[in-house]
Amino acid sequence: MSQAAPAPWHKGWYAAARHVPSPNHGPRPTGTPIDLAVLHSISLPPGQYGGPEIEQLFTNQLDWQAHPYFQQIQGLEVSAHFLIRRDGELVQFVSADDRAWHAGRSSWRGRDNCNDYAVGIELEGLEHHPFEPAQYDTLASLLQAMADHYPDLRHVAGHEHVAPGRKEDPGRAFDWIGLRQQLAWPDAAFPDGITHPQ
């Protein structure tokens, strides 16, 4: 008798991701539905890919003296729920049931404090620079898996949309049209006025 396949989710942890638990999280407000995914971009040091620094930052283990840029963010305690590496690898830091520290001062369609009701997804990359096809494939798969597990999750936006004027990521090179085609979600699920990269 064959064993049943493991459940894709367990207490907010996604089985398809590599788990690197972060201490930087807290509870969501009681009764708050998870209904938004916020997309970010990150690279540490800026423009360098593949190293351990992002994971170190989200787990409070980054050596602030290892690079001059790190001194600008010294003491920062942040996290996201997920990171998608350039090769499409998916890393999870915080249970999606919990509140990660990713959006900061933010608002989406009239509701403040996006961290309370959003899942934060970091894409390894620079603002306004193209992302890799493997990242879009992983992102679309993750978003659909989250929508299947969290029935209220039906919207996705960039950090630039929830914190306009303060943040610019993932930036103008992000292919919103391609993501929309991969997901086949309705237009209302996406930010108003999104366009294909030039």
Side-chain angles (χ1 to χ4, degrees), residues 57 71 83 86-87 91 95 98 119 128 131 138-139 155 164:
L57 174 66
Q71 294 168 33
L83 167 68
R86 301 294 288 183
D87 62 0
V91 185
S95 163
D98 292 327
V119 172
H128 313 310
F131 296 93
T138 297
L139 176 60
H155 297 92

Side-chain angles (χ1 to χ4, degrees), residues 27-100:
R28 295 185 187 273
T30 303
T32 301
I34 300 166
D35 59 12
L36 173 67
V38 175
L39 307 184
H40 307 256
S41 62
I42 187 172
S43 58
L44 288 176
Q48 295 186 28
Y49 304 136
E53 290 84 1
I54 299 171
E55 294 180 26
Q56 290 171 351
L57 174 66
F58 288 165
T59 56
N60 300 340
Q61 299 180 62
L62 185 64
D63 178 0
W64 306 115
Q65 307 306 315
H67 188 276
Y69 175 77
F70 298 161
Q71 294 168 33
Q72 298 179 35
I73 59 171
Q74 186 166 351
L76 195 64
E77 293 186 351
V78 293
S79 62
H81 293 92
F82 294 97
L83 167 68
I84 301 175
R85 293 284 195 173
R86 301 294 288 183
D87 62 0
E89 183 194 14
L90 183 63
V91 185
Q92 185 171 7
F93 299 94
V94 175
S95 163
D97 292 349
D98 292 327
R99 183 183 189 275

Side-chain angles (χ1 to χ4, degrees), residues 1 16 30 33-34 51 69 80 89 91-93 95 116 118 153 160-161 167-168 174-175 179 189 192-193:
M1 186 174 178
T30 303
I34 300 166
Y69 175 77
E89 183 194 14
V91 185
Q92 185 171 7
F93 299 94
S95 163
D116 289 347
L153 199 154
E160 62 196 295
H161 303 112
K167 294 293 182 178
E168 297 183 351
F174 185 82
D175 186 1
L179 178 64
D192 298 333

Side-chain angles (χ1 to χ4, degrees), residues 129-141:
H129 286 240
F131 296 93
E132 297 294 334
Q135 292 181 287
Y136 288 105
D137 290 343
T138 297
L139 176 60
S141 176

